[in-house]
Structures are given as C-alpha cells and as structure tokens.
Amino acid sequence: GDKAFAQFLTDEIKEEKKIQKHKSLPKVSGGWELEVHGTEAKLVRKIAGEKITVTFNINNSIPPSAEEDTQEQQKPDEQEPELTSTPNFVVEVIKDDTKQTLVLDCHYPEDEIGNEGEEESDIFTIREVSFQPTGEADWKDTNYTLNTDSLDWALYDHLMDFLADRGVDNTFADELIELSTALEHQEYIKFLEDLKSFVKCQ
C-alpha cells in the first residue's frame, strides 16, 4: 500500500509542478517587503511617519468549491478549475509618535469573487477595526472592537479611503490573492514532498 501511495504522490508532485504558475513568489507592487514564516506571510511598507503591515495565513484560505454541481458537466480532459487562495488579512497601521496601532481585519467576501462587472464594488471588505497597544504580541479582548456590520456607511468609506491612501486598495488586494495562491501552491507541493518522504521512511 505504501509503495502505491508513494508512487501516487510522485505523480501528483510532477503534475502540480507542471501547473505551478510562479517558480518564485510574485511581487506586490508599491514597495511592500515580504516576509514568509511557513504558512504566514507579512507585507511591510513604510511611509512618512507610519509603518503599515499586512499579515495573512494561507491555511484554510481556499474557499470551498461548489464541486457537486460541476462534477457532471466536466469533461474528462478538461483542466480542473484553478484554485484561488483568498485569505483573511489583517492591516496594522502604526504611527511613529503614538503608542497605539490601528488594526483593520479584512476579508474577501465569497460572493464578490468573480463579479467583475460592477466597477464600483471593492473586492475586499473591512470586518473589524480596533486599537491595540503597539508592540504587544497578544491583542486584548478588553479593547473596543468596532464591527462594521452596523457601521455608518460614510465612516466605512473613510476607512476604505484611509487604507487606499496607504496602498491597500483593490490592486493590492488582487496582488495579494496572486501572492497567496502562489504561496499556498508552493506549500502544498512541499507538503506532498514531505508526505512522500514520510511514507517511504521505513
């Protein structure tokens, strides 16, 4: 059984490498620096008096696909639909002269992906906003967290503009999907390779 499993993994790795779009991770335009720690990635950008960091984790970032519906129509020789990684991401804005960090929790709404028709709509939304003490690893539940579900639209728009002025806009969000998808694929291939070594290990 293990031999067959290892063989299957070898073929699978070959296939995945064939469809891998990026041999190295795509860059995000606008002067963002990328740090990757396993499945977590961090983009950092400094502008006058501020540091902006965007953090995301590729685990569980691929939305469940509606496989049940598509199974029948799919012809055997057709490529599988491309998987896209749309992780939640957290934007932190740190101003040099305050001890507080503004934290904006953003995500890609599932129904927005692929609705290219409406120019107006943003491809990501802000879910929560809070202040956290700068430099503290653990965020406190005691800090007020603003949930955007019941937010005044004008305030919400200002928050989106605030992010856009710092380089977090639709273009950025698109490039983040691209980066995250490439990173997810890279990690998946690495996982298959580790699994293969593990299975072959006597």
Side-chain angles (χ1 to χ4, degrees), residues 24-43:
S24 62
L25 293 174
K27 292 261 183 287
V28 175
S29 59
W32 294 89
E33 283 175 32
L34 174 66
E35 301 167 22
V36 179
H37 305 285
T39 59
E40 189 172 85
K42 186 188 221 174
L43 290 157

Side-chain angles (χ1 to χ4, degrees), residues 77-190:
D77 56 344
E78 269 181 35
Q79 272 287 304
E80 286 178 29
E82 230 177 89
L83 293 177
T84 308
S85 160
T86 50
N88 297 343
F89 59 96
V90 174
V91 184
E92 293 174 58
V93 180
I94 302 163
K95 286 190 187 275
D96 291 348
D97 49 4
T98 69
K99 293 280 174 280
Q100 288 192 311
T101 301
L102 183 66
V103 178
L104 301 102
D105 199 337
C106 304
H107 76 140
Y108 295 95
E110 270 157 46
D111 48 359
E112 289 298 318
I113 308 292
N115 293 355
E116 299 299 313
E118 310 134 44
E119 266 309 283
E120 282 307 288
S121 75
D122 290 296
I123 59 172
F124 70 96
T125 59
I126 302 171
R127 241 201 319 221
E128 291 181 346
V129 188
S130 67
F131 279 110
Q132 297 296 344
T134 300
E136 296 211 5
D138 297 326
W139 291 345
K140 297 183 169 50
D141 289 338
T142 51
N143 287 9
Y144 179 75
T145 300
L146 176 68
N147 193 310
T148 55
D149 289 345
S150 52
L151 199 58
D152 177 329
W153 276 107
L155 176 53
Y156 182 83
D157 286 343
H158 278 299
L159 285 169
M160 288 299 271
D161 291 344
F162 177 84
L163 283 182
D165 290 343
R166 285 152 181 78
V168 180
D169 53 12
N170 276 347
T171 308
F172 173 86
D174 265 334
E175 291 179 356
L176 188 120
I177 291 177
E178 190 84 351
L179 167 65
S180 180
T181 303
L183 182 61
E184 202 284 331
H185 200 202
Q186 183 179 295
E187 285 295 316
Y188 175 61
I189 292 173
K190 195 166 145 295

Side-chain angles (χ1 to χ4, degrees), residues 15-23 182 185-186 189:
E15 279 308 300
E16 290 296 333
K17 282 191 169 158
K18 216 185 295 174
I19 60 170
Q20 194 173 18
K21 279 207 301 211
H22 303 279
K23 291 289 168 256
H185 200 202
Q186 183 179 295
I189 292 173

Side-chain angles (χ1 to χ4, degrees), residues 9 192-202:
L9 288 167
L192 292 177
E193 286 169 339
D194 291 346
L195 186 58
K196 187 176 99 178
S197 325
F198 185 83
V199 169
K200 285 172 98 167
C201 192
Q202 293 307 313

Side-chain angles (χ1 to χ4, degrees), residues 54-69:
V54 177
T55 321
F56 64 92
N57 194 317
I58 56 163
N59 280 337
N60 305 322
S61 66
I62 294 183
S65 56
E67 252 168 29
E68 292 75 37
D69 323 336

